Amino acid sequence: MAYSNFTLETVCTEFQVEFIESTGIFSNIEPVKPSLELITDLEKKVPVAAAINTEKARSELIVANVLFELREQFDRAISFFSGIDFTVDPDNGLTGVCDFLVSLSPIQSILHAPVIVLVEAKKEDPAPGLGQCIAEMLAAQRFNAEKGNDIPIIYGAATTGTEWKFLKLQKKRLHLDMTIYQISQCDRILGILSSMVNQEA
Protein backbone atom coordinates (compact mmCIF):
# COMPACT_ATOMS: atom_id res chain seq x y z
CA MET A 1 0.00 0.00 0.00
CA ALA A 2 1.08 3.60 -0.62
CA TYR A 3 -0.17 6.97 0.64
CA SER A 4 -2.45 7.31 -2.36
CA ASN A 5 -4.25 4.07 -1.52
CA PHE A 6 -5.43 5.20 1.90
CA THR A 7 -8.97 6.44 2.39
CA LEU A 8 -10.12 8.38 5.41
CA GLU A 9 -11.66 5.20 6.83
CA THR A 10 -8.72 2.88 6.19
CA VAL A 11 -6.06 5.21 7.56
CA CYS A 12 -8.00 5.89 10.77
CA THR A 13 -8.74 2.19 11.27
CA GLU A 14 -5.29 0.82 10.46
CA PHE A 15 -3.41 3.37 12.58
CA GLN A 16 -6.08 3.60 15.33
CA VAL A 17 -6.47 7.33 14.90
CA GLU A 18 -9.12 9.13 16.92
CA PHE A 19 -10.93 11.20 14.28
CA ILE A 20 -12.67 14.41 15.34
CA GLU A 21 -14.64 16.69 13.03
CA SER A 22 -14.88 20.31 14.11
CA THR A 23 -15.74 23.65 12.58
CA GLY A 24 -13.62 26.76 12.85
CA ILE A 25 -10.55 25.24 14.53
CA PHE A 26 -8.44 27.83 12.75
CA SER A 27 -11.02 30.62 12.59
CA ASN A 28 -9.43 32.82 15.27
CA ILE A 29 -6.00 32.88 13.67
CA GLU A 30 -4.82 36.28 12.50
CA PRO A 31 -4.64 36.67 8.71
CA VAL A 32 -1.27 37.34 7.10
CA LYS A 33 -1.22 39.94 4.36
CA PRO A 34 0.01 38.43 1.09
CA SER A 35 2.61 40.25 -0.96
CA LEU A 36 1.59 42.22 -4.01
CA GLU A 37 3.50 39.66 -6.09
CA LEU A 38 1.34 36.79 -4.80
CA ILE A 39 -1.88 38.76 -5.27
CA THR A 40 -0.88 39.55 -8.86
CA ASP A 41 0.21 35.97 -9.54
CA LEU A 42 -3.02 34.50 -8.24
CA GLU A 43 -5.15 36.95 -10.22
CA LYS A 44 -3.45 35.72 -13.38
CA LYS A 45 -2.96 32.05 -12.57
CA VAL A 46 -6.11 30.93 -10.74
CA PRO A 47 -8.37 31.30 -13.83
CA VAL A 48 -5.82 29.42 -15.96
CA ALA A 49 -5.49 26.60 -13.41
CA ALA A 50 -9.27 26.35 -13.15
CA ALA A 51 -9.61 26.19 -16.93
CA ILE A 52 -6.95 23.50 -17.34
CA ASN A 53 -8.42 21.74 -14.28
CA THR A 54 -5.74 19.15 -13.63
CA GLU A 55 -4.01 18.44 -10.33
CA LYS A 56 -0.68 19.36 -11.92
CA ALA A 57 -1.89 22.76 -13.11
CA ARG A 58 -3.54 23.58 -9.80
CA SER A 59 -0.41 22.48 -7.92
CA GLU A 60 2.02 24.42 -10.06
CA LEU A 61 -0.01 27.57 -10.61
CA ILE A 62 -1.68 28.00 -7.21
CA VAL A 63 -0.40 25.78 -4.39
CA ALA A 64 3.31 26.21 -5.15
CA ASN A 65 2.87 29.99 -5.27
CA VAL A 66 1.16 30.05 -1.86
CA LEU A 67 3.88 27.89 -0.28
CA PHE A 68 6.63 29.95 -1.90
CA GLU A 69 5.02 33.02 -0.36
CA LEU A 70 4.94 31.26 3.02
CA ARG A 71 8.67 30.61 2.74
CA GLU A 72 9.30 34.27 1.88
CA GLN A 73 7.16 35.42 4.81
CA PHE A 74 9.53 33.47 7.09
CA ASP A 75 12.61 35.00 5.41
CA ARG A 76 13.50 31.60 3.93
CA ALA A 77 13.96 30.09 7.40
CA ILE A 78 11.75 27.18 6.29
CA SER A 79 11.81 24.99 3.20
CA PHE A 80 9.14 23.38 1.08
CA PHE A 81 9.34 20.44 -1.27
CA SER A 82 7.18 19.31 -4.14
CA GLY A 83 6.76 15.82 -5.57
CA ILE A 84 9.51 14.13 -3.56
CA ASP A 85 9.65 10.54 -2.37
CA PHE A 86 8.77 10.36 1.32
CA THR A 87 9.04 6.67 2.07
CA VAL A 88 9.14 6.28 5.85
CA ASP A 89 7.63 2.90 6.78
CA PRO A 90 7.06 0.54 3.81
CA ASP A 91 5.82 -2.30 6.04
CA ASN A 92 2.85 -0.17 7.07
CA GLY A 93 2.20 1.44 3.69
CA LEU A 94 3.73 4.80 4.58
CA THR A 95 5.46 5.11 1.26
CA GLY A 96 5.19 7.18 -1.88
CA VAL A 97 5.42 10.71 -3.18
CA CYS A 98 4.05 13.76 -1.36
CA ASP A 99 2.58 16.63 -3.34
CA PHE A 100 4.05 19.21 -0.96
CA LEU A 101 5.65 19.25 2.45
CA VAL A 102 7.06 22.02 4.62
CA SER A 103 10.07 21.60 6.90
CA LEU A 104 11.38 23.83 9.66
CA SER A 105 14.85 23.53 8.15
CA PRO A 106 16.08 26.38 5.91
CA ILE A 107 18.01 23.88 3.78
CA GLN A 108 16.25 23.53 0.44
CA SER A 109 18.46 20.90 -1.20
CA ILE A 110 17.90 18.07 1.30
CA LEU A 111 14.83 17.19 3.33
CA HIS A 112 15.62 17.61 7.02
CA ALA A 113 13.40 17.02 10.02
CA PRO A 114 11.20 18.34 11.35
CA VAL A 115 8.50 18.06 8.73
CA ILE A 116 5.46 19.96 9.98
CA VAL A 117 2.94 20.50 7.16
CA LEU A 118 1.78 18.11 4.43
CA VAL A 119 -0.28 19.47 1.54
CA GLU A 120 -2.20 17.16 -0.77
CA ALA A 121 -3.53 18.66 -4.01
CA LYS A 122 -6.62 17.35 -5.77
CA LYS A 123 -8.37 18.30 -8.98
CA GLU A 124 -11.91 19.12 -7.95
CA ASP A 125 -12.72 18.17 -4.36
CA PRO A 126 -10.29 18.22 -1.42
CA ALA A 127 -12.18 15.47 0.45
CA PRO A 128 -10.72 12.46 -1.46
CA GLY A 129 -7.23 13.64 -0.52
CA LEU A 130 -7.88 13.47 3.23
CA GLY A 131 -6.90 9.81 3.71
CA GLN A 132 -3.71 10.28 1.75
CA CYS A 133 -2.87 13.48 3.61
CA ILE A 134 -3.43 11.85 7.02
CA ALA A 135 -1.18 8.92 6.07
CA GLU A 136 1.54 11.41 5.12
CA MET A 137 1.05 13.24 8.42
CA LEU A 138 1.49 9.98 10.33
CA ALA A 139 4.63 9.32 8.31
CA ALA A 140 5.93 12.78 9.23
CA GLN A 141 5.41 11.96 12.92
CA ARG A 142 7.57 8.88 12.53
CA PHE A 143 10.15 10.64 10.36
CA ASN A 144 10.57 13.40 12.93
CA ALA A 145 10.83 10.96 15.85
CA GLU A 146 13.47 8.90 14.04
CA LYS A 147 15.52 12.06 13.50
CA GLY A 148 15.20 13.09 17.14
CA ASN A 149 12.77 15.94 16.44
CA ASP A 150 9.56 14.87 18.12
CA ILE A 151 7.41 17.88 17.16
CA PRO A 152 4.14 17.70 19.13
CA ILE A 153 1.79 18.63 16.29
CA ILE A 154 1.76 17.77 12.58
CA TYR A 155 -0.52 19.73 10.27
CA GLY A 156 -2.02 18.97 6.91
CA ALA A 157 -4.06 20.49 4.13
CA ALA A 158 -6.11 18.95 1.37
CA THR A 159 -6.67 21.44 -1.40
CA THR A 160 -7.78 21.97 -4.96
CA GLY A 161 -5.75 25.16 -4.96
CA THR A 162 -8.96 27.17 -4.87
CA GLU A 163 -10.43 25.34 -1.83
CA TRP A 164 -8.44 24.44 1.28
CA LYS A 165 -9.30 22.12 4.21
CA PHE A 166 -6.94 21.90 7.18
CA LEU A 167 -6.05 19.12 9.62
CA LYS A 168 -4.20 18.84 12.91
CA LEU A 169 -2.60 15.66 14.30
CA GLN A 170 -1.44 15.41 17.91
CA LYS A 171 -0.29 11.93 18.90
CA LYS A 172 -3.21 9.71 17.77
CA ARG A 173 -5.86 12.44 17.82
CA LEU A 174 -6.72 13.97 14.48
CA HIS A 175 -8.84 17.10 14.09
CA LEU A 176 -10.39 17.92 10.73
CA ASP A 177 -11.64 21.47 10.33
CA MET A 178 -14.82 21.21 8.27
CA THR A 179 -14.50 24.85 7.23
CA ILE A 180 -13.50 25.30 3.59
CA TYR A 181 -11.23 28.27 2.93
CA GLN A 182 -11.32 29.78 -0.56
CA ILE A 183 -8.22 31.10 -2.33
CA SER A 184 -9.95 34.49 -2.34
CA GLN A 185 -9.24 34.34 1.43
CA CYS A 186 -5.54 34.01 0.75
CA ASP A 187 -4.69 36.11 3.80
CA ARG A 188 -6.58 33.63 5.99
CA ILE A 189 -4.85 30.66 4.33
CA LEU A 190 -1.43 32.26 4.83
CA GLY A 191 -2.32 33.05 8.43
CA ILE A 192 -3.25 29.42 9.10
CA LEU A 193 -0.13 28.09 7.40
CA SER A 194 2.02 30.58 9.34
CA SER A 195 0.46 29.51 12.63
CA MET A 196 1.26 25.92 11.71
CA VAL A 197 4.91 26.79 11.16
CA ASN A 198 4.94 28.52 14.56
CA GLN A 199 3.10 25.57 16.17
CA GLU A 200 0.44 27.99 17.37
CA ALA A 201 -2.65 26.53 15.70
Side-chain angles (χ1 to χ4, degrees), residues 3 63 67 70 79-88 96-103 111 114-121 129-144 153-159 164-169 174 193 196-197:
Y3 299 126
V63 181
L67 295 179
L70 180 69
S79 53
F80 83 93
F81 297 83
S82 173
I84 66 165
D85 182 78
F86 191 55
T87 295
V88 174
V97 173
C98 291
D99 285 345
F100 296 94
L101 54 82
V102 177
S103 169
L111 176 62
V115 172
I116 51 160
V117 183
L118 286 299
V119 181
E120 183 58 35
L130 292 174
Q132 183 172 351
C133 187
I134 294 164
E136 292 168 2
M137 293 165 71
L138 289 162
Q141 267 187 341
R142 298 183 182 201
F143 177 79
N144 292 341
I153 303 174
I154 304 294
Y155 298 96
T159 180
W164 295 66
K165 294 187 84 164
F166 294 103
L167 306 98
K168 175 180 178 177
L169 177 67
L174 180 94
L193 290 170
M196 292 175 170
V197 171

Side-chain angles (χ1 to χ4, degrees), residues 18-71:
E18 181 186 356
F19 181 68
I20 302 164
E21 290 181 337
S22 307
T23 301
I25 298 171
F26 304 101
S27 61
N28 293 325
I29 290 169
E30 286 295 316
V32 170
K33 185 178 180 180
S35 66
L36 181 59
E37 289 83 0
L38 179 62
I39 293 170
T40 303
D41 274 348
L42 291 179
E43 285 176 352
K44 291 186 292 186
K45 293 178 179 179
V46 167
V48 175
I52 298 171
N53 200 28
T54 63
E55 287 178 27
K56 189 170 189 294
R58 288 172 176 271
S59 294
E60 292 175 349
L61 297 174
I62 305 175
V63 181
N65 281 273
V66 172
L67 295 179
F68 186 86
E69 171 80 2
L70 180 69
R71 181 172 177 260

